[in-house]
Amino acid sequence: MRQIFTTALTLWLSLSGLATAQVADLRSTTQFRVCADPANAPMSVKDGSGFENKLADLFGKIMDRPVTYTWFPSGMGFIAKTLRAGTCDVVMGYAQGDELVQNTNHYYTSVYGIVTRKDNELAAVDHLTDPALKDHPIGVVAGTPPATIMAQAGLAKDMKGTDLMVDRRVMDPIGDLLTDVSDGALDAAVLWGPVAGPRIKDDPDLQFTPLLKETSGPKMFYRITMGVRPEEQEWKRELNSLLRRHKDEIDQLLRDAGVPLVDDYGKELLQ
């Protein structure tokens, strides 16, 4: 019996070691393999035009590896079908604190804001409890933090909601909201900065006002990291080193894209 136990234990340890090695070997050392949504403009797009695509290109160049993609629509099953399946090694943009992935250090912080026409009477509004917002049609993505504050502020009847989780290959809810603001069907839209900022940065008629003055309800700012598999500590450290050493290049890439950057506490817009 003792010999059987010893043999079984040895076999178990061997298999455990093999499993560990297999997990460690999931990461490619010859390619920079990215998990991404093919139609999540302006962040990731299959044609490579998104700012996360350009960030991936930067990292591929730094590491001297070709950039390859596993494409899958964001939402339910995205991490399981991409990162956890081992077909790719990094999600370029992931909110800090999500337990589905291991987060790198954050490489930028951004904020929700209000998109209006520059000539609209709401152009001066910079907080969601401003009474000026009442009785004006306002677009918002259902389930996002500002929708909660808006409802608490008595704006529910004025809100035009759109779904958060959609297949962006066939639907463009953010684009629809921005078109409605531009055309005057909506007086404002409250949107996540990295989604709205790049889309309107060259629009002569629209503006994005960051929500830096909210004092209650969910926070309006979030730190964005890269996501890797929980077991891959060495890979996380390697990416953290690159993020630190190339911070200026990354910041410039994001600014050029039109992403509104704020300090780590969401209190001040960075220029």
Side-chain angles (χ1 to χ4, degrees), residues 43-230:
M43 293 175 284
S44 65
V45 189
K46 199 167 187 177
D47 66 8
S49 62
F51 65 81
E52 289 182 357
N53 300 115
K54 294 175 182 177
L55 181 59
D57 290 341
L58 172 63
F59 270 55
K61 181 179 179 181
I62 292 168
M63 302 176 77
D64 194 25
R65 298 177 189 173
V67 179
T68 61
Y69 284 91
T70 294
W71 301 107
F72 195 85
S74 56
M76 189 70 69
F78 173 76
I79 294 299
K81 297 291 186 180
T82 59
L83 190 67
R84 294 285 186 148
T87 60
C88 48
D89 303 316
V90 62
V91 181
M92 298 306 294
Y94 216 88
Q96 188 179 64
D98 194 297
E99 295 181 355
L100 287 176
V101 304
Q102 177 181 204
N103 299 109
T104 65
N105 294 340
H106 69 281
Y107 62 96
Y108 77 94
T109 304
S110 195
V111 65
Y112 281 90
I114 304 175
V115 177
T116 61
R117 288 185 59 89
K118 294 176 182 177
D119 60 2
N120 188 277
E121 62 184 292
L122 299 183
V125 171
D126 60 6
H127 57 286
L128 294 175
T129 53
D130 190 326
L133 290 172
K134 290 189 175 181
D135 300 321
H136 288 275
I138 304 169
V140 66
V141 178
T144 57
T148 299
I149 296 178
M150 292 168 69
Q152 292 171 346
L155 299 174
K157 66 181 181 61
D158 304 314
M159 292 162 55
K160 177 185 177 181
T162 189
D163 290 335
L164 176 62
M165 295 298 181
V166 300
D167 187 341
R168 295 176 180 86
R169 295 171 298 179
V170 295
M171 300 176 66
D172 183 18
I174 303 301
D176 293 342
L177 290 179
L178 292 174
T179 297
D180 285 347
V181 173
S182 184
D183 293 345
L186 293 174
D187 285 335
V190 182
L191 299 170
W192 174 231
V195 172
R199 287 177 178 249
I200 70 166
K201 74 182 184 72
D202 296 322
D203 192 307
D205 299 319
L206 299 182
Q207 68 177 30
F208 177 88
T209 304
L211 292 168
L212 305 177
K213 299 181 179 180
E214 302 304 318
T215 58
S216 63
K219 66 180 183 180
M220 293 292 98
F221 67 96
Y222 292 88
R223 298 170 182 175
I224 303 302
T225 73
M226 295 181 183
V228 300
R229 283 176 284 270

